[in-house]
Amino acid sequence: MSVQISSQLGVCQRCGSSDVCFTGAYKANAQSMPHKTYQRKSSLYFMGDPFTAIYILRSGSAKSFINTAEGNEQISKFYFSGDMIGLEGFDNMIHTQSVSFLETSSVCRISLPEFNRAMSESHEVRQRLLKSMSHSIIDEQLLLMSMTQYSSEQRLLKFLLDLSARFKQSGLSEQIFHLTMTRIDIANFLGLAIETISRLLTKMDSQGLIKVNNRQITLCDISHLRRCLVKQVA
Amino acid sequence: MSVQISSQLGVCQRCGSSDVCFTGAYKANAQSMPHKTYQRKSSLYFMGDPFTAIYILRSGSAKSFINTAEGNEQISKFYFSGDMIGLEGFDNMIHTQSVSFLETSSVCRISLPEFNRAMSESHEVRQRLLKSMSHSIIDEQLLLMSMTQYSSEQRLLKFLLDLSARFKQSGLSEQIFHLTMTRIDIANFLGLAIETISRLLTKMDSQGLIKVNNRQITLCDISHLRRCLVKQVA
DNA sequence: CGTTCTATTGACATCATTCAACGCCGGTGG
DNA sequence: CCACCGGCGTTGAATGATGTCAATAGAACG
């Protein structure tokens, strides 16, 4: 249900991460050190760049966006640790979006040859990738549904709950967490006005549903909030 | 740009279709006849069904939808000939949505064992699938963007243009086509009220942008309509 | 030939945006 | 150290777009 989150295949073992790497089955020769650190506001790649690798976010957070014909930036997804980045490149072997980091982050790079070799050699790798992309498609559709069917308050609530679930999955608190993105980013992503985001956060705070302290969010009763998402539609 | 359209890998050669089949590389023994015809309103599978195969739509059209907690149906995608159906199943090996047909349609079934064999044997098959899923992800994101950023009129316009592009791709007219789905389905998919759809169609007709005759739509000036999509945002 | 599903149209209500003003906070230079 | 400045965030009032409710007509199907 963590909808705005990309495909997850686990973090690469070559990087020493504890999680399982989808290329793990194919015992990479680990002379190369494929991970790299990026600063806040720096970019992993830009729209139009040739597609040469996929990436796994080891730590930190990022956003992907496209530059619209009108010169605006439109955020399509937020990424957190464990997420795969770059899968959209397979279509035309060119990146169709840009990715930049919201905070200092570490990334594992898997070149296309490495990737293809793993794909050809291991059924398990293929299954993981299919599962991951399948999951990604499902999430996109759920997100799309939320966008078209939910009220602004429900959209924001879903966004917060998705973040919460994502943080929990990363071993962080699902109840108290820090937003690494600005209100502007949130509004852009959710298709709402910044003012609306601000008003809704204030409102939900005063209703006792959440606590807002700048970018620190506390979800008071997660299961109650989940019920809100369902009930208010009926 | 045909956004509401699923991954396309071409129609299976085993079915005698002229298009290239993604399992073509692995020369299936063609004793089985994997294609089947479905009537309007019949279902290919239901949400919760075990995931045993993927399908390619040979002719006709279909919609996929999920049944929400409130008992409503939420349409997530429309399918046309050449589209792959069922990829969401890989995540949990269970279908997460239902698929039903909008008209009499023909479908090619590719069982999971067949699929897996093709995937393991051919790099080309893998590339096609990745490309296809990648394309699907891009489309979903573009659609999501339209939904969050566009006005109701732009959403509907984009929907019609996507359909047009899709029909052209299938060798039909991109200018005059027949809607196989109801206004109710369109409204559901676009997250708008049926009345809004009706009003917008009437309005665009009276403005001379399109001609509406029940379910037959004529796009008067496609390139002008495309420009409308961009300009109105600025 | 009637019943049901689908589609259109009008009046009204509501939600979210827009515009505008202001507060806060961190950085930077005097 | 303080003052200024730009980016981020909050709040209010007015506007506009879209939904809801209701009535009716047309189309499809048995």
Side-chain angles (χ1 to χ4, degrees), chain A residues 2 11 27-28 44 59 105 107 116 122 143 153 158 168 181 183 188 200 216:
Chain A
S2 55
V11 172
K27 302 302 174 200
L44 182 58
S59 66
S105 305
V107 160
N116 285 330
S122 164
L143 181 59
E153 183 169 358
K158 172 168 168 51
K168 182 182 184 186
M181 67 292 290
R183 305 269 198 277
N188 181 308
L200 287 174
Q216 180 177 292

Side-chain angles (χ1 to χ4, degrees), chain A residues 152 192 195-196 199:
Chain A
S152 59
L192 300 170
E195 295 95 325
T196 304
R199 274 186 256 270

Side-chain angles (χ1 to χ4, degrees), chain B residues 65-81:
Chain B
F65 55 95
I66 69 173
N67 298 107
T68 66
E70 299 79 35
N72 306 320
E73 169 182 298
Q74 170 59 40
I75 299 174
S76 56
K77 202 177 274 192
F78 292 107
Y79 300 88
F80 298 92
S81 72

